[in-house]
Amino acid sequence: MQQIVYRPIGILHTPFHSVRGMPIQPVGAIGVVGRLEVHPEFEEGLRDLDGFSHVIMIYHLHKIQGHALSVRPFLDTSERGIFATRSPRRPNPIGISVLRVLSVARNMVELENVDMLDQTPVLDIKPYVADFDVWDADRFGWFDGVSGNAVRVRSDGRFESAPSCG
């Protein structure tokens, strides 16, 4: 199989310097401000971004080691298949968050509701467009009835340094 290599477009600066105690979803980080510092060679790509209220940020979960195909997620006490969770301990440690854009100036994007660790490498950002990105979902699997708890649940570091299982 062909190897896939990505190069970060920038680095995220947030108030979270430790995995333990940080929010597990943007809904748990309402009002938390962070800054994406885009590498100078990608600055031109930020043109027109200030016209959007939100972006979809795709990033590398750089402190996660190894992966597991079954995990006990933060919002549940049962083991679940990794692809039915938002656990960071994935075969490809990629995170996705929808964030509010506060401002864009030169190579800096100020963002709100950041739930990522400081110094997180950002792989890509895309404009959030409700006509494309909002769907009327009718099934939420095991998240049904517990997803609202993400507002108060914090990371306990359980996925930070686990050995590889695959």
Side-chain angles (χ1 to χ4, degrees):
M1 183 178 286
Q2 177 183 348
Q3 182 179 7
I4 300 170
V5 177
Y6 290 101
R7 181 172 147 210
I9 63 160
I11 296 293
L12 194 60
H13 302 283
T14 79
F16 304 111
H17 298 281
S18 172
V19 171
R20 291 181 189 274
M22 62 186 285
I24 62 166
Q25 294 294 324
V27 71
I30 299 297
V32 177
V33 175
R35 223 179 25 187
L36 168 59
E37 180 179 357
V38 173
H39 297 316
E41 63 267 32
F42 299 114
E43 180 179 338
E44 183 182 341
L46 295 175
R47 186 170 25 116
D48 304 316
L49 190 65
D50 59 351
F52 295 88
S53 68
H54 290 78
V55 291
I56 300 168
M57 181 170 291
I58 304 164
Y59 48 95
H60 176 68
L61 300 164
H62 65 295
K63 293 293 184 178
I64 301 303
Q65 297 177 8
H67 71 275
L69 298 180
S70 292
V71 295
R72 185 177 52 84
F74 291 120
L75 297 176
D76 200 10
T77 57
S78 299
E79 289 276 319
R80 303 287 181 178
I82 189 68
F83 302 124
T85 76
R86 292 187 171 210
S87 165
R89 199 162 166 229
R90 316 183 76 73
N92 292 305
I94 296 171
I96 298 174
S97 293
V98 175
L99 305 171
R100 175 174 284 285
V101 176
L102 298 177
S103 66
V104 181
R106 294 187 307 273
N107 71 322
M108 295 290 189
V109 181
E110 190 172 23
L111 302 156
E112 189 175 44
N113 308 332
V114 297
D115 65 330
M116 304 82 147
L117 194 60
D118 188 51
Q119 301 298 307
T120 293
V122 175
L123 303 175
D124 201 1
I125 51 177
K126 297 175 184 275
Y128 177 89
V129 179
D131 287 343
F132 306 156
D133 300 318
V134 175
W135 294 87
D136 289 329
D138 57 3
R139 293 190 323 262
F140 299 97
W142 68 268
F143 279 105
D144 200 21
V146 299
S147 61
N149 296 335
V151 171
R152 60 179 166 69
V153 172
R154 296 294 183 252
S155 172
D156 57 13
R158 75 179 76 176
F159 301 115
E160 186 176 11
S161 61
S164 179
C165 294

